[in-house]
Amino acid sequence: MNSWEDGRYGGAQQGQGGGGYGGGDAEPTRSMPHVQRQRRPGAPHGGYGQAGSPAEPPLPPGLNPRGPAAGAPAGGYGATIPQQSSGGYGGGPAAPGYHDGPPPGASPVRSSRWPRRRKVKVALLTLLCALLVVTAGTWFWADGKLRRQDVLQDYPGRPGEGKGTNWLIVGSDSREGMTKQDAKDLHTGLGAKGKRTDSMMLLHIGDHGNTMMSIPRDSWVTVPAHQSSINPGQTVSARKHKINAAFAIGGAPLLVRTVETATGLHVDHYAEIGFAGFRDLVDSLGGVRMCLDKPMKDAKSGADFPAGCREFNGTDSLKYVRSRYVDGTGDLGRMKRQRQFLASIANEAASPATIANPFTLYPTISSGLGTLIVDKDCGLTDLASMFFAMKGVSSGSGKTITVPIANPGLPTSEGSAVDWSDSRSKPVFDALRNDTAVPDVK
């Protein structure tokens, strides 16, 4: 028999409800000394009541195993133990000093819910820590793949920052990363030195909607004075030229300056991608779905697509956006298709199916950022903002336009060029600068 604490045996104080074995009116509290029974040497094994066992010790006076002693209050030692839902072992409210639970020395019985809850909390905490580690690792890995260049340079007379954010997005004809077979498949050739703009867009992100404005690469504008790339140290005077020449002569810095001078808009960020990067980006996304109203065939770009909807892989996508001899609209029609396709790429890249699938997300990040050139102050959050803005334009929450044109075939010393309409382009540039509603233009 274990040693019980003082006050446990009797349950409640006299006059209180049961809390001991009797469950009813309890006797005054008694203490039961520790009793240790030992087998006499040579005595046979067995418990009380078995043959050869020692005699059972007498019970304390007044206690009767078969019922209460004469004159004792009901609920004594021999009383029936009521089964109650609370209190001590006998039910009812526990008496002062009574410890709910098993007697000392017995194995504690604990609820099985606590260990399960603790395991769930530990598992959730571990999962959260793992997600944070993976997210941080992915962030630094992706940020390290960006190719930053000092393309946004200050100069005297540079337009001040306006409201909203302006991106200059350039698709170049750079052959970097292409093999001879790639050049053959894409109808690009490998003989072209340097790089030129194959597409040029100004994306405005603002509170009054996002606008994607195409700039014809043959636009007849003033190229600002710049350092000669042929004779270092020599300054080339400002002159009228096709805007594409600024990129070929002075690269991205001169192109940005030319666009800012011609539009009066401050360029906040710059992004450029070449042929190979564009193709690999589309392939990493698993293709981009496009629908054609009529068949499309262009021998120079290699495009040969039937009417209807289909998934364009990287090679077919590049053929599609480079086609300019399919509908008689030349660069203007090509720019419209380029805007549509870039918006579709952004919509696919920013979709939950891409972001939540690591087997698509990581190849997309690797191929998209590996060949992407951005300004030195551009970060991943800036790129995410650009993609979501382009996705918004694709879903119809923005506007796509082309710089208003007065003459698409202006004769110049450099051949046929595109002449902007000053009267119709100025309201557009003012709206973009002040982040107000952009007027509709044709």
Side-chain angles (χ1 to χ4, degrees):
M1 177 179 293
N2 294 327
S3 175
W4 290 18
E5 297 176 14
D6 255 0
R8 177 172 296 192
Y9 181 81
Q13 298 290 337
Q14 189 172 3
Q16 293 180 339
Y21 274 89
D25 296 331
E27 295 178 307
T29 303
R30 294 172 181 155
S31 297
M32 192 169 190
H34 180 72
V35 179
Q36 182 176 4
R37 297 184 178 93
Q38 296 181 349
R39 183 169 54 86
R40 297 189 304 274
H45 292 278
Y48 292 113
Q50 296 182 6
S53 64
E56 183 175 358
L59 295 172
L63 293 182
N64 188 340
R66 294 180 178 82
Y77 187 86
T80 303
I81 299 175
Q83 300 297 322
Q84 296 186 8
S85 60
S86 62
Y89 271 85
Y98 186 88
H99 295 274
D100 193 15
S107 299
V109 180
R110 297 180 180 175
S111 171
S112 61
R113 290 180 298 174
W114 169 243
R116 286 200 298 269
R117 289 177 180 175
R118 184 167 58 184
K119 289 179 180 178
V120 170
K121 289 181 179 179
V122 171
L124 290 176
L125 182 60
T126 302
L127 179 60
L128 178 60
C129 291
L131 288 175
L132 290 175
V133 171
V134 171
T135 301
T138 300
W139 183 274
F140 286 109
W141 168 74
D143 187 73
K145 292 189 72 67
L146 283 176
R147 301 171 59 188
R148 296 181 173 91
Q149 294 183 4
D150 185 17
V151 298
L152 304 180
Q153 301 173 357
D154 287 329
Y155 54 88
R158 184 183 184 190
E161 295 184 10
K163 298 180 180 180
T165 303
N166 295 321
W167 279 83
L168 182 59
I169 303 172
V170 174
S172 75
D173 64 358
S174 171
R175 273 72 171 171
E176 181 182 359
M178 293 177 57
T179 65
K180 291 182 178 180
Q181 186 61 44
D182 291 335
K184 181 179 179 181
D185 294 339
L186 298 174
H187 292 250
T188 62
L190 287 173
K193 296 181 179 180
K195 55 184 180 180
R196 286 148 293 278
T197 56
D198 212 59
S199 61
M200 193 184 314
M201 302 176 193
L202 189 71
L203 173 66
H204 175 79
I205 305 174
D207 295 334
H208 291 82
N210 305 321
T211 302
M212 187 181 294
M213 181 178 69
S214 293
I215 300 176
R217 65 177 188 171
D218 290 337
S219 297
W220 191 247
V221 297
T222 299
V223 176
H226 55 277
Q227 295 295 316
S228 173
S229 58
I230 301 175
N231 300 314
Q234 180 180 350
T235 300
V236 179
S237 301
R239 54 168 291 198
K240 281 282 191 177
H241 214 309
K242 293 181 181 180
I243 200 169
N244 193 28
F247 188 66
I249 296 171
L254 184 58
L255 175 63
V256 170
R257 185 173 178 180
T258 303
V259 170
E260 290 181 333
T261 302
T263 63
L265 297 173
H266 182 94
V267 175
D268 301 290
H269 288 294
Y270 175 88
E272 175 193 331
I273 190 168
F275 283 163
F278 182 86
R279 177 200 59 190
D280 294 343
L281 176 60
V282 174
D283 284 339
S284 66
L285 290 170
V288 174
R289 187 170 180 81
M290 295 292 292
C291 295
L292 305 181
D293 296 332
K294 55 185 179 181
M296 179 177 178
K297 189 170 184 178
D298 184 351
K300 290 192 175 182
S301 70
D304 188 2
F305 310 123
C309 298
R310 55 172 290 173
E311 292 287 336
F312 279 67
N313 61 24
T315 299
D316 289 342
S317 298
L318 195 54
K319 294 176 180 179
Y320 176 81
V321 298
R322 295 186 62 238
S323 296
R324 60 187 297 190
Y325 302 101
V326 293
D327 53 8
T329 59
D331 269 343
L332 299 182
R334 182 170 74 163
M335 286 187 298
K336 182 179 179 180
R337 290 188 291 272
Q338 289 171 345
R339 289 197 306 265
Q340 293 173 341
F341 201 88
L342 285 178
S344 297
I345 289 179
N347 186 62
E348 187 72 25
S351 67
T354 299
I355 296 175
N357 185 354
F359 296 102
T360 303
L361 177 63
Y362 284 96
T364 299
I365 293 175
S366 180
S367 59
L369 301 185
T371 57
L372 188 67
I373 297 175
V374 296
D375 60 276
K376 66 177 183 179
D377 295 326
C378 178
L380 293 179
T381 53
D382 299 313
L383 280 178
S385 175
M386 180 192 75
F387 270 101
F388 280 106
M390 294 175 68
K391 180 181 179 181
V393 171
S394 174
S395 62
S397 61
K399 180 175 289 188
T400 59
I401 61 174
T402 300
V403 173
I405 296 172
N407 186 356
L410 177 69
T412 69
S413 58
E414 302 295 334
S416 178
V418 176
D419 188 30
W420 294 359
S421 170
D422 293 336
S423 60
R424 288 187 293 122
S425 61
K426 186 178 184 302
V428 173
F429 299 154
D430 290 342
L432 295 177
R433 183 183 307 106
N434 300 318
D435 192 25
T436 56
V438 177
D440 294 328
V441 294
K442 296 181 180 179

